[in-house]
């Protein structure tokens, strides 16, 4: 029952979060900082009350390790948000971040000296090819969209290249953070909820560096069209309503993933998160009518095919279909 509940939370929370984020970004493309700050603040307050018992509970993992993890986490979050200011469409943003398997494998080989099977390398090649196809097609769209003077077209393309470089850096930094977190869990045990709190609480002072941008967006949000909130009957600016929905759905999404990691194997978690990303992408394209060519669909399909191959979901399904008799023969 817990597994089904967690999967529902992941799909409902994460997909709704993507929709609310796109509604915010479409109106104010540079609003990523205020969105991230609001999410961090909400999760930090919730964790301070329920996880640390108002600061009375000591952390199982030394805070110094969390400081390192938080520095990486904060950097990744801010860079991913800023990338949206550089002609990066939301579907490409989502596809690019789906390439985390590539970064994890590369850094796993370099740092942890891991070795993988041929199927793993094939899956990474597929993911890389899919992202490459989508990136190239998006580059062509940037050139077409910026028709006019040659100088304007060149500027728009360079602007877009900076966004791609930012996404690439964030991808590698996120993978490095995952490896660091994995090493901490091996040493101190798995404390996912504690890590969730410190990852969102410790970076809060860092938002002081972004205070001017956050304040400016607070002003813009307050000047947006007022709407009546259903059920409650209160009137509030629509951008603040979108932000409130984004905060709540982000929390539901993270809680769902947390419950899923405690209830299921990592394979199941990866598969559910991958399917969630795919549905979010499809909804974003259809509902918001984002430009998406046939080649984009090919690239997307290849990315998710590679992801599913990496998780070995096909062999798991075959094993399940064969039934317990096969396992019994192997045991003999």
């Amino acid at each position: 029952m817990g597994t089904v509940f967690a999967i529902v939370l992941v799909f409902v929370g994460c997909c709704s979060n993507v929709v609310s984020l796109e509604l915010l970004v479409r109106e104010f493309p540079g609003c990523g900082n205020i969105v991230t700050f609001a999410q961090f603040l909400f999760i930090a307050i919730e964790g301070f009350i329920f996880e640390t018992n108002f600061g009375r509970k000591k952390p199982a993992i030394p805070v110094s390790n969390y400081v390192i993890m938080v520095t990486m986490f904060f950097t990744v979050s801010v860079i991913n948000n800023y990338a949206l200011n550089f002609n990066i469409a939301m579907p490409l943003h989502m596809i690019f971040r789906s390439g985390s398997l590539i970064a994890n494998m590369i850094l796993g080989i370099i740092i942890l000296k891991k070795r993988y099977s041929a199927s793993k390398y094939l899956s990474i090649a597929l993911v890389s090819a899919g992202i490459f196809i989508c990136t190239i097609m998006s580059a062509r769209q940037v050139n077409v969209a910026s028709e006019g003077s040659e100088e304007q077209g060149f500027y728009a393309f360079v602007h877009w290249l900076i966004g791609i470089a930012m996404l690439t850096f964030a991808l590698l930094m996120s993978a490095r953070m995952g490896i660091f977190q994995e090493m901490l869990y091996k040493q101190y045990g798995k404390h996912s909820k504690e890590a969730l709190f410190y990852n969102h609480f410790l970076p809060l002072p860092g938002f002081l560096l972004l205070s001017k941008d956050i304040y400016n967006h607070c002003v813009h949000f307050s000047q947006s069209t007022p709407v009546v909130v259903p059920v409650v009957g209160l009137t509030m600016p629509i951008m603040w309503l979108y932000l409130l929905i984004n905060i709540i759905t982000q929390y539901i999404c993270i809680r769902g993933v947390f419950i899923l990691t405690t209830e299921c194997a990592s394979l199941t978690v990866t598969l559910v998160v991958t399917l969630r990303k795919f549905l979010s992408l499809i909804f974003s394209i259809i509902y918001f009518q984002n430009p998406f060519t046939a080649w984009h669909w090919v690239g997307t399909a290849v990315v998710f095919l590679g992801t599913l191959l990496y998780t070995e979901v096909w062999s798991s399904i075959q094993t399940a279909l064969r039934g317990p008799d096969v396992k019994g023969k192997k045991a003999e």
Side-chain angles (χ1 to χ4, degrees):
M1 185 67 181
T3 303
V4 175
F5 178 66
I7 291 174
V8 171
L9 285 182
V10 170
F11 276 91
V12 173
C14 297
C15 291
S16 302
N17 181 256
V18 170
V19 173
S20 61
L21 178 60
E22 183 139 7
L23 288 169
L24 287 162
V25 169
R26 277 179 167 259
E27 191 67 30
F28 295 104
C31 70
N33 290 327
I34 187 175
V35 173
T36 304
F37 172 69
Q39 292 173 352
F40 276 43
L41 184 63
F42 179 83
I43 294 173
I45 292 172
E46 188 274 341
F48 182 73
I49 297 171
F50 297 104
E51 171 59 23
T52 70
N53 191 20
F54 296 94
R56 289 193 285 264
K57 180 183 174 183
K58 291 185 177 180
I61 299 174
V63 175
S64 58
N65 288 313
Y66 279 124
V67 170
I68 298 172
M69 191 190 305
V70 158
T71 302
M72 292 188 281
F73 184 63
F74 181 77
T75 303
V76 168
S77 298
V78 171
I79 290 178
N80 272 325
N81 287 330
Y82 265 123
L84 292 169
N85 293 338
F86 290 83
N87 292 342
I88 302 295
M90 186 62 76
L92 178 62
H93 192 273
M94 294 164 65
I95 293 167
F96 218 94
R97 293 178 71 177
S98 297
S100 55
L101 289 175
I102 308 170
N104 286 333
M105 176 175 278
I106 291 172
L107 294 188
I109 293 171
I110 296 172
I111 298 173
L112 302 178
K113 309 300 180 186
K114 287 185 176 181
R115 293 295 177 265
Y116 300 92
S117 63
S119 64
K120 289 285 194 292
Y121 289 114
L122 175 61
S123 68
I124 293 306
L126 288 172
V127 172
S128 302
I131 290 177
F132 178 77
I133 292 170
C134 289
T135 304
I136 291 298
M137 295 311 298
S138 294
R140 291 181 62 185
Q141 285 181 344
V142 169
N143 288 333
V144 171
S146 56
E147 285 182 351
S149 71
E150 190 173 325
E151 186 178 343
Q152 286 176 332
F154 177 75
Y155 175 78
F157 183 68
V158 171
H159 205 59
W160 176 84
L161 281 179
I162 294 172
I164 292 296
M166 293 172 72
L167 287 178
T168 303
F169 177 81
L171 198 64
L172 292 171
M173 179 68 79
S174 179
R176 183 64 185 90
M177 183 183 72
I179 291 174
F180 182 73
Q181 190 170 345
E182 184 181 331
M183 294 167 68
L184 283 182
Y185 285 165
K186 283 182 180 178
Q187 184 176 354
Y188 297 101
K190 195 170 185 179
H191 303 279
S192 301
K193 198 171 180 184
E194 178 185 286
L196 180 67
F197 165 70
Y198 283 102
N199 277 346
H200 289 80
F201 174 72
L202 293 177
L204 288 178
F207 284 100
L208 289 172
L209 300 172
L210 309 169
S211 58
K212 185 177 180 181
D213 179 71
I214 292 172
Y215 173 77
N216 288 336
H217 278 93
C218 283
V219 174
H220 292 319
F221 279 22
S222 298
Q223 293 172 347
S224 60
T225 307
V227 292
V228 179
V229 182
V231 182
V232 183
L234 294 174
T235 301
M236 66 187 301
I238 192 167
M239 295 303 291
W240 283 115
L241 178 61
Y242 289 157
L243 182 61
L244 179 63
I245 294 171
N246 183 268
I247 294 168
I248 295 171
T249 53
Q250 174 74 359
Y251 177 73
I252 293 172
C253 175
I254 290 178
R255 287 291 293 155
V257 173
F258 168 72
I259 296 171
L260 206 59
T261 55
T262 59
E263 295 278 344
C264 308
S266 59
L267 171 65
T268 307
V269 177
T270 305
L271 179 59
V272 171
V273 172
T274 301
L275 290 174
R276 192 278 302 169
K277 286 180 180 178
F278 184 72
L279 285 179
S280 297
L281 178 65
I282 299 300
F283 188 87
S284 172
I285 294 162
I286 296 173
Y287 184 79
F288 292 103
Q289 297 181 342
N290 281 309
F292 221 69
T293 65
W295 280 108
H296 279 98
W297 282 112
V298 170
T300 303
V302 172
V303 168
F304 286 101
L305 176 64
T307 304
L308 293 177
L309 180 62
Y310 184 90
T311 60
E312 298 178 355
V313 66
W314 310 120
S315 58
S316 299
I317 292 173
Q318 287 176 351
T319 303
L321 291 175
R322 287 171 187 165
D325 293 338
V326 177
K327 293 180 181 177
K329 288 179 182 178
K330 286 184 179 179
E332 292 172 5

